[in-house]
Amino acid sequence: MQKRRWRTLVVLRKLLICAICTIGLVALLAVHLRVFPNSRVPAFPDPYKLPAQRETGIQKLRTEEKFRQEPAPPHLKKDPLPSRKLVGASGLLDSNKLWKPPPNRDYVPCVEPSSAYTAPVESRGCLLVHTNGGLNQMRAGICDMVAVARIINATLVIPELDKRSFWQDSSNFADVFDEDYFIEALANDIKVIKKLPKELSTAPKAVKHFRSWSGLDYYLSEIASMWAEYQVIRAAKSDSRLANNNLPPDIQKLRCRACYEALRFSPRIETMGKLLVDRMRNYGRYIALHLRYEKDMLAFSGCTHGLSPEEADELSMIRENTTHWKVKEINSTEQRTKGYCPLTPKEVGIFLSALGYPSDTPIYIAAGEIYGGESRMADLRSHYPILMSKDNLASVDELEHFINHASQMAALDYIVSVESDVFIPTYSGNMARAVQGHRRYLGHRKTISPDRKSLVRLFDKIEKGSMKKGRNLSNRIIEIHRGRQGSPRKRKGPISGTKGMDRFRSEEAFYENPLPDCLCQSRGSLLINASHIG
């Protein structure tokens, strides 16, 4: 009997050991198993896709395939963080609400020309264009010059990009944009050529500063009349030369076709941009944060809140030495109180937390070098440790072609921002306006526009100790931004009471919101609305 019990005990012990070993082996495999979400960048269906390489017979660059095949750098090979519920101002919230885009009310692009629109006739001369500013300022200017060429019946020579601005970028048009596709896509609108013909190199030329925010009459009379004396007209600047509003519908639609369809990025940039999107998707849904906290912006705006006296003096010196920045003396406190300053990295952390985004939210920093470097980013990183950018999403070799070319680097940020689940600009500059308008064109993707003027009041209360971070602050910030999510609305006109150039400056920019000119409700939606009215 005793031997039988002993044998039973031995068998049980062996079974127990086997069970423990099995559990340990399963646990070990579970720890080392790598599971990534499907990170393929979704195809961008025509005509709503981002600027992409041509789908015609033009051969793709070999480097595209090289980019597609390169794996992510070793430091990116991390398991995605688990999704979870989060506690916000209203208690337990479904995280999907934070990412859900606003209702688009079935608005879709409608940019086809009317039946009265004709093919371009023989042009009267050539239009040379010298663009100015950064990438997005140049983009808008190029698209406006396409419309101007149509109005004055000119052949457009591929525009010259700005090489003398703050960024000193030597890129040519073909380095940033798909030149051949641009010419091909606009063939039914205007004639575009790569270079001025040799026979016109000695022809009479006029250099003209086109008047800002000008309408149809100005170009048909004052500019078109110059063809009687000149065969070549050179536009010295391209930014804001065309009015936002009160232009013929076909001209407005042409501006949108130029901006969102014809002006695609070069195949090299497009491929690298999609690769960055792909790698961000490895972390799940992400926010693209246009953190406009760079030296040039702070110097231009005169915003020095939270900076040291030495840093404030450096920015003042830059502003003083930049000849085309006319305003030299700026009161930083007044600027900030009026909401004219970009949010600081610290303020962004408070803002996103109050909105309810959890600490494991992936954030892509769409910006150049942040003023103050990593020390200034520490507060934001303490809230959101998954801060990614071009520099840590791609290897040095992958970025080698783009480095030292500000426009090309900005184009990569543009692509990742347009494709993000949520886009948040900390300042309403050219990049913010361009990306916001493109996201509206693509179906009103979620774009949260911080109300800086209201936020500054709350941030100051926190600093003074009269308000604490928590549910009350969260409720206030959520309520303020309930209607600032990028939902469809008509473009804002001038501020009441403004006159002259100030009136035009106060208008919402055309490329910030192409509704109603280039967006309309689908026929099905209109029929449903009509049936409800009936």
Side-chain angles (χ1 to χ4, degrees):
M1 181 68 70
Q2 192 171 356
K3 283 184 179 181
R4 191 178 300 166
R5 286 179 182 173
W6 176 252
R7 286 174 184 167
T8 304
L9 256 159
V10 169
V11 171
L12 287 172
R13 187 169 64 178
K14 287 181 178 179
L15 287 172
L16 185 60
I17 290 170
C18 287
I20 291 170
C21 290
T22 303
I23 292 170
L25 184 61
V26 170
L28 188 63
L29 287 171
V31 168
H32 287 84
L33 189 63
R34 303 182 56 79
V35 181
F36 278 88
N38 183 359
S39 61
R40 285 175 47 199
V41 182
F44 304 139
D46 283 321
Y48 317 117
K49 63 184 177 182
L50 266 173
Q53 61 271 19
R54 292 183 300 285
E55 283 116 16
T56 62
I58 300 172
Q59 189 174 7
K60 294 180 180 179
L61 295 178
R62 290 181 181 176
T63 49
E64 289 185 59
E65 294 307 317
K66 181 182 176 183
F67 280 140
R68 293 186 195 283
Q69 293 165 9
E70 285 195 74
H75 65 276
L76 288 179
K77 294 182 178 180
K78 304 172 184 176
D79 291 331
L81 294 168
S83 60
R84 63 187 182 192
K85 299 280 186 176
L86 49 120
V87 177
S90 304
L92 199 63
L93 297 176
D94 185 344
S95 64
N96 286 329
K97 290 182 180 178
L98 292 171
W99 303 98
K100 186 179 180 181
N104 66 13
R105 289 161 39 200
D106 294 320
Y107 274 100
V108 295
C110 48
V111 295
E112 291 301 312
S114 69
S115 57
Y117 194 78
T118 59
V121 296
E122 186 176 353
S123 69
R124 300 182 64 186
C126 286
L127 175 63
L128 298 176
V129 176
H130 179 83
T131 61
N132 57 293
L135 171 70
N136 294 288
Q137 192 171 338
M138 290 192 292
R139 275 177 59 94
I142 290 167
C143 297
D144 277 359
M145 289 300 112
V146 167
V148 168
R150 172 78 189 193
I151 293 169
I152 65 174
N153 194 20
T155 293
L156 177 67
V157 179
I158 285 291
E160 177 187 345
L161 300 190
D162 190 345
K163 297 179 175 63
R164 296 174 295 181
S165 65
F166 179 89
W167 299 274
Q168 299 290 304
D169 189 348
S170 61
S171 299
N172 293 315
F173 188 96
D175 297 320
V176 181
F177 304 108
D178 192 331
E179 187 175 69
D180 291 323
Y181 186 83
F182 182 72
I183 295 171
E184 178 185 317
L186 294 172
N188 293 326
D189 301 295
I190 59 170
K191 183 178 180 181
V192 184
I193 57 177
K194 293 185 179 182
K195 293 181 180 179
L196 188 69
K198 288 183 179 179
E199 61 269 23
L200 291 179
S201 59
T202 57
K205 298 182 182 68
V207 178
K208 181 75 173 176
H209 281 77
F210 294 167
R211 194 175 66 198
S212 299
W213 294 294
S214 295
L216 198 67
D217 291 343
Y218 168 79
Y219 285 104
L220 287 176
S221 57
E222 186 168 336
I223 303 302
S225 65
M226 295 174 70
W227 293 132
E229 190 174 351
Y230 301 99
Q231 291 177 271
V232 179
I233 299 173
R234 181 181 182 87
K237 286 188 175 184
S238 64
D239 65 322
S240 305
R241 304 297 125 177
L242 198 57
N244 291 307
N245 304 302
N246 302 317
L247 289 170
D250 274 329
I251 293 298
Q252 297 290 58
K253 291 178 186 297
L254 173 57
R255 294 169 84 179
C256 286
R257 290 199 301 277
C259 187
Y260 304 123
E261 297 179 12
L263 197 61
R264 295 178 173 179
F265 290 121
S266 69
R268 189 191 298 270
I269 289 174
E270 181 66 17
T271 302
M272 189 69 231
K274 287 183 178 180
L275 188 60
L276 295 177
V277 172
D278 191 6
R279 290 175 181 173
M280 278 306 298
R281 292 273 179 237
N282 282 339
Y283 293 92
R285 292 179 291 192
Y286 70 93
I287 292 173
L289 178 67
H290 183 45
L291 189 59
R292 198 67 168 94
Y293 204 76
E294 300 138 323
K295 184 184 289 187
D296 65 302
M297 173 48 62
L298 296 175
F300 174 77
S301 61
C303 297
T304 59
H305 177 77
L307 302 182
S308 67
E310 292 76 19
E311 289 172 324
D313 289 342
E314 180 187 19
L315 297 178
S316 295
M317 189 67 67
I318 293 171
R319 189 166 63 252
E320 185 66 34
N321 293 334
T322 307
T323 54
H324 60 277
W325 291 354
K326 296 180 181 179
V327 181
K328 304 299 182 182
E329 296 296 325
I330 300 177
N331 186 309
S332 176
T333 303
E334 288 182 6
Q335 285 284 98
R336 185 168 176 271
T337 301
K338 293 176 181 178
Y340 296 160
C341 291
L343 298 181
T344 68
K346 179 180 180 179
E347 291 169 343
V348 170
I350 298 171
F351 175 62
L352 293 179
S353 295
L355 288 176
Y357 288 96
S359 61
D360 61 5
T361 300
I363 297 176
Y364 179 86
I365 303 297
E369 185 178 349
I370 302 301
Y371 191 55
E374 186 56 38
S375 62
R376 191 132 290 135
M377 293 292 289
D379 284 312
L380 176 57
R381 195 177 296 279
S382 67
H383 286 86
Y384 297 95
I386 312 178
L387 296 181
M388 310 303 293
S389 66
K390 301 178 293 291
D391 298 320
N392 54 21
L393 275 176
S395 67
V396 174
D397 289 342
E398 288 173 318
L399 290 177
E400 182 181 8
H401 182 84
F402 310 100
I403 213 80
N404 298 325
H405 295 287
S407 294
Q408 297 182 47
M409 294 289 271
L412 297 176
D413 282 342
Y414 185 96
I415 292 172
V416 183
S417 297
V418 169
E419 284 303 304
S420 65
D421 297 281
V422 177
F423 175 64
I424 301 177
T426 62
Y427 187 78
S428 55
N430 292 313
M431 167 81 165
R433 289 194 287 267
V435 171
Q436 182 172 331
H438 204 150
R439 289 172 69 85
R440 287 181 179 278
Y441 186 81
L442 293 172
H444 290 88
R445 297 174 177 178
K446 188 165 189 174
T447 301
I448 303 175
S449 303
D451 184 340
R452 295 188 301 278
K453 187 174 181 180
S454 298
L455 287 173
V456 162
R457 296 194 192 104
L458 298 176
F459 295 149
D460 286 345
K461 287 182 179 179
I462 293 172
E463 285 190 10
K464 293 174 184 176
S466 59
M467 176 177 274
K468 294 182 179 179
K469 300 175 188 177
R471 182 166 297 184
N472 184 37
L473 175 68
S474 183
N475 282 335
R476 293 281 297 278
I477 289 179
I478 288 172
E479 186 57 37
I480 290 169
H481 294 86
R482 199 174 297 280
R484 302 175 69 93
Q485 310 279 319
S487 57
R489 60 168 176 77
K490 289 186 178 181
R491 189 168 58 256
K492 296 176 183 176
I495 295 175
S496 178
T498 53
K499 296 180 181 179
M501 285 298 170
D502 288 337
R503 180 176 176 81
F504 293 114
R505 287 192 184 95
S506 70
E507 292 178 334
E508 186 173 18
F510 179 83
Y511 299 106
E512 183 177 0
N513 183 7
L515 195 158
D517 309 270
C518 305
L519 296 169
C520 50
Q521 287 180 298
S522 62
R523 183 170 296 180
S525 175
L526 292 173
L527 289 174
I528 291 171
N529 291 337
S531 66
H532 285 317
I533 293 171

